[in-house]
Amino acid sequence: MTQIQIGTSDVYTTRLGLGTNKVGGTSRAGVDQEQSGREVVRTALDSGIQLLDTAYMYGQGRSEAVIGEVLKDYDRSQVVIATKAAHDPKHDMQPNNDPAFLTQSVDDALTRLQTDYIDIFYIHFPDATTPKAEAVGALAKLKQAGKIRAIGVSNFSLAQIKEANVNGDIDVVEDHYSLIHRAPEGEEMAYLKAHHISFVPYFPLASGLLTGKYGAADRARFARFVEGAQFDAALQGVAVLRDVAAAHGASVTQTALAWYLAAPGVDVMIPGARNAEQVCGIVGTLDVQLTDAEFQAIDQAFKQF
């Protein structure tokens, strides 16, 4: 897999990573996900994926702990770990960007991950009071100390990103972006490009809507992503994805992910997986090379979003 630099840091990673929000913890059906999570992480690493994206909130530390256990069997220098923190368990999980809290969160994550450095550390959500440059300044000190290698923010507005980056310390932004949620394509992506900040989208498949597995009867399931006529428009777009997928002998999921990898402004993809089979499907995305015409056809099919 080809690699990409994260911001201006010394972190380089494969463009296709793995989101691990399904690793560790318990599923909605009450199923323990730790064993399946280990298999997911191993399969990803064995398939050439380097970046593992996790967070304290993924099982309140269990995802990080599972990854830490698996990493014992791998060359740490060949794995890129991204994790996130902000939710304060001492204050009802409300976001906390206080420098002392973030500093402690990094130390706690290092312990759970059983490593002495974190490649990318994100402030998971902004809080309402902490000056963002002050919060990032705390991470800059940790970067100088060698505890983290790249600094990120997630779920920040453009104004908050600018405030956080006043000293040019931000390397990467993780934000909600998909074919049906394209708001970052405007001023946000322009700012990131101008300041050499990498962009990593989450919810790229809109919790399954863009996988081709769902139809008109599933409208209520995706109400948080699309409402009313938007849902019908999304299904029409998925029909275009399905046609392009058929031309490549690929799945709709692989075709959607291939579009992101070809999209300007998107640096790394971190789709999630519940099992090893899904990981193999994700890796198959790399075999899908869209033509310019196919890229534009998909782009236009979702342009209204």
Side-chain angles (χ1 to χ4, degrees):
M1 295 188 195
T2 58
Q3 291 188 318
I4 191 168
Q5 183 180 13
I6 298 299
T8 58
S9 74
D10 62 359
V11 177
Y12 287 78
T13 183
T14 50
R15 294 195 64 210
L16 189 62
L18 177 74
T20 65
N21 61 315
K22 304 301 182 186
V23 173
T26 304
S27 72
R28 293 178 182 177
V31 178
D32 186 330
Q33 295 176 307
E34 292 199 7
Q35 183 55 41
S36 62
R38 292 185 187 92
E39 294 173 357
V40 163
V41 173
R42 290 184 186 280
T43 302
L45 295 177
D46 292 343
S47 299
I49 286 176
Q50 285 184 299
L51 175 64
L52 303 175
D53 182 275
T54 186
Y56 166 72
M57 279 301 288
Y58 301 167
Q60 294 186 30
R62 284 309 304 159
S63 175
E64 292 173 324
V66 169
I67 289 170
E69 293 170 13
V70 173
L71 280 180
K72 293 177 183 178
D73 299 327
Y74 291 85
D75 181 348
R76 174 68 182 88
S77 68
Q78 297 303 307
V79 181
V80 176
I81 300 173
T83 193
K84 304 176 282 290
H87 301 83
D88 190 343
K90 295 181 180 179
H91 294 90
D92 299 320
M93 294 298 179
Q94 292 302 305
N96 185 349
N97 297 169
D98 180 81
F101 176 81
L102 293 176
T103 299
Q104 186 62 53
S105 294
V106 168
D107 286 340
D108 292 344
L110 288 168
T111 298
R112 290 188 291 268
L113 289 161
Q114 300 185 56
T115 185
D116 55 5
Y117 67 93
I118 294 167
D119 298 281
I120 304 170
F121 187 86
Y122 294 93
I123 301 175
H124 203 168
F125 280 86
D127 68 12
T129 57
T130 307
K132 301 310 163 214
E134 184 177 318
V136 169
L139 298 186
K141 292 179 181 178
L142 294 172
K143 186 176 180 179
Q144 292 173 352
K147 291 187 176 183
I148 63 178
R149 299 174 63 206
I151 296 171
V153 296
S154 181
N155 299 294
F156 277 41
S157 68
L158 179 55
Q160 290 169 329
I161 293 171
K162 290 179 178 179
E163 180 187 348
N165 195 47
V166 67
N167 293 316
D169 290 324
I170 301 297
D171 295 300
V172 57
V173 166
E174 188 172 315
D175 204 357
H176 183 190
Y177 174 70
S178 76
L179 282 162
I180 62 170
H181 184 84
R182 304 180 69 169
E185 287 181 349
E187 294 183 12
E188 181 174 337
M189 283 190 176
Y191 176 83
L192 300 184
K193 181 178 180 180
H195 291 80
H196 308 290
I197 298 172
S198 298
F199 180 72
V200 180
Y202 68 78
F203 283 152
L205 298 173
S207 289
L209 178 57
L210 299 177
T211 65
K213 297 179 181 179
Y214 301 97
D218 302 295
R219 183 182 301 269
R221 182 187 184 101
F222 299 102
R224 65 172 171 156
F225 291 107
V226 284
E227 299 179 356
Q230 284 186 319
F231 181 76
D232 299 318
L235 290 186
Q236 292 172 8
V238 171
V240 174
L241 281 172
R242 187 175 288 109
D243 288 342
V244 175
H248 288 269
S251 69
V252 174
T253 296
Q254 290 168 338
T255 305
L257 294 177
W259 185 89
Y260 296 120
L261 289 175
V266 176
D267 293 293
V268 180
M269 290 300 302
I270 51 168
R274 294 179 181 275
N275 53 55
E277 182 180 1
Q278 289 182 349
V279 175
C280 293
I282 289 169
V283 174
T285 297
L286 299 175
D287 296 325
V288 183
Q289 300 297 317
L290 301 179
T291 66
D292 290 343
E294 289 169 335
F295 178 88
Q296 292 301 329
I298 295 169
D299 185 63
Q300 289 301 315
F302 293 93
K303 202 65 176 179
Q304 68 172 287
F305 294 98

